Amino acid sequence: MTDAPILTVTDLTVRFPIRGPFARKLGEIRALDGVSFDLAEGEILGLVGESGCGKSTLGKTLMGIQAPSSGSITFAGKEIAGRTPREARELRRRLQYAYQDPGASLDPRWKIGKSLEEPLIIHTDLPRRERLKKVAEILTSVGLPAGHADLFPHEISGGQQRRVGLARILMLNPEVVILDEPTAGLDVSVQATVLRLFRDLRDTFDLTYIFISHDLSVVRLMCHRVAVMYLGRIVEMGPVADLMDDPKHPYTQSLLAAIPKVNGPRVTENFWLKGEPADASNLPRGCRFQGRCPHVQPVCRQDDPADRIVGAQSVACHFAGEVFPPVPTAKESERA
Ligand SMILES: Nc1ncnc2c1ncn2[C@@H]1O[C@H](COP(=O)(O)OP(=O)(O)OP(=O)(O)O)[C@@H](O)[C@H]1O
Ligand SMILES: [Mg+2]
């Protein structure tokens, strides 16, 4: 791993308009709300958070599938916005997104070999013979028999579809791969094999990963650093061991508290997340976590917290690194 960032994201926002009758704009969803981070070459950055917090939107925006509303994305030292179509296409080849649902990225009417060959037809001038050779090579490198090129997607298992999805991306020699929930829906035993494959491929092809998951134990196993998202913002980021052993943001604390520990339960009543996240189209003034935070104080309803550096982490909380205001006991909150 080198220190030079391969990807720099600064203050990225994505807003989706909510439209009513006659396309009248009724409001907007803040799917990303000022996201900033760096990615070092060779790094695996985990991206975690509840459903709807903006993980896929971030992945798609980095890839150029989704246009940002504002902010900047620099890839290998070059700003992506404002590229010519040709340059944008080349940058996009180097940055690939593995879809959350691998079945969806494969055409059900096409044999797997055809799906794998297609990116080579679009992006390279290789003759057919070379393309077929490459298809066979990549199938082997993701642990599938080359003969699978003649099968249709519905003829292979979910785990094998993941491998094909990955193979399709690897056809283009990318540098950064965004893996969106790469083990969702797989049996635990298949998960372990697929995770090992990702690691091996990272070493073989010198890849850098953004690893989107809401499975924190998988993130711990796979990632160097982790970014925790809540309603469109990174609320805590840091090296995986520091963040998971000593989380500083109340949201991260509650996420981790919800995982039962092998040696005894770690779940404490006060740390269960209560209620639903705020409405992304109607964020409250102040901290976006205030409605569910056990430590909420008046300042949290006034000011959106800036990022603070606490130990190895960067934390968006007014009280991070300080003694948190006491959590009312269950009885006290009942009375309130
Ligand atoms: N094309 C779109 N148009 C309108 N709203 C969208 C669009 N895509 C996403 N959103 C909204 O943006 C927010 C973030 O969605 P996103 O898919 O990025 O979440 P996620 O973190 O990937 O969730 P999950 O864990 O369920 O995959 C959600 O409120 C979602 O409804
Ligand atoms: Mg998603």
Side-chain angles (χ1 to χ4, degrees), residues 51-52 54-57 60 97 100 180-181 212:
S51 186
K55 304 181 297 293
S56 295
T57 304
K60 289 175 189 171
Y97 178 79
Q100 194 160 356
D180 199 346
E181 299 281 359
I212 300 177

Side-chain angles (χ1 to χ4, degrees), residues 228-251:
V228 180
M229 279 183 81
Y230 191 76
L231 279 174
R233 180 169 178 192
I234 294 176
V235 294
E236 179 161 4
M237 179 155 61
V240 79
D242 297 271
L243 188 141
M244 293 211 174
D245 289 341
D246 189 12
K248 305 287 189 193
H249 194 287
Y251 177 60

Side-chain angles (χ1 to χ4, degrees), residues 43 66 78 93 101 201 215 217 252 261 272 291 295 304:
E43 185 175 30
Q66 170 65 50
K78 287 184 181 167
R93 179 195 63 73
D101 173 6
L201 293 174
D215 188 336
S217 42
T252 320
K261 272 192 120 181
W272 277 109
H295 309 288
D304 199 9

Side-chain angles (χ1 to χ4, degrees), residues 19-76:
R19 298 202 185 273
F22 306 108
R24 201 158 56 91
K25 192 172 154 187
L26 300 179
E28 53 185 14
I29 293 174
R30 289 201 240 165
L32 294 185
D33 198 21
V35 167
S36 302
F37 65 92
D38 273 349
L39 193 61
E41 228 176 297
E43 185 175 30
I44 307 181
L45 174 70
L47 195 59
V48 303
E50 283 165 289
S51 186
C53 71
K55 304 181 297 293
S56 295
T57 304
L58 177 59
K60 289 175 189 171
T61 310
L62 294 178
M63 247 314 277
I65 308 169
Q66 170 65 50
S69 308
S70 66
S72 115
I73 303 168
T74 310
F75 182 71

Side-chain angles (χ1 to χ4, degrees), residues 72-112:
S72 115
I73 303 168
T74 310
F75 182 71
K78 287 184 181 167
E79 173 68 45
I80 292 188
R83 295 280 125 199
T84 63
R86 192 194 160 89
E87 286 172 325
R89 201 174 68 163
E90 169 58 14
L91 283 176
R92 220 161 280 161
R93 179 195 63 73
R94 297 165 64 183
L95 190 81
Q96 289 289 325
Y97 178 79
Y99 277 88
Q100 194 160 356
D101 173 6
S105 66
L106 298 171
D107 192 319
R109 297 160 306 172
W110 284 7
K111 287 187 176 168
I112 284 155

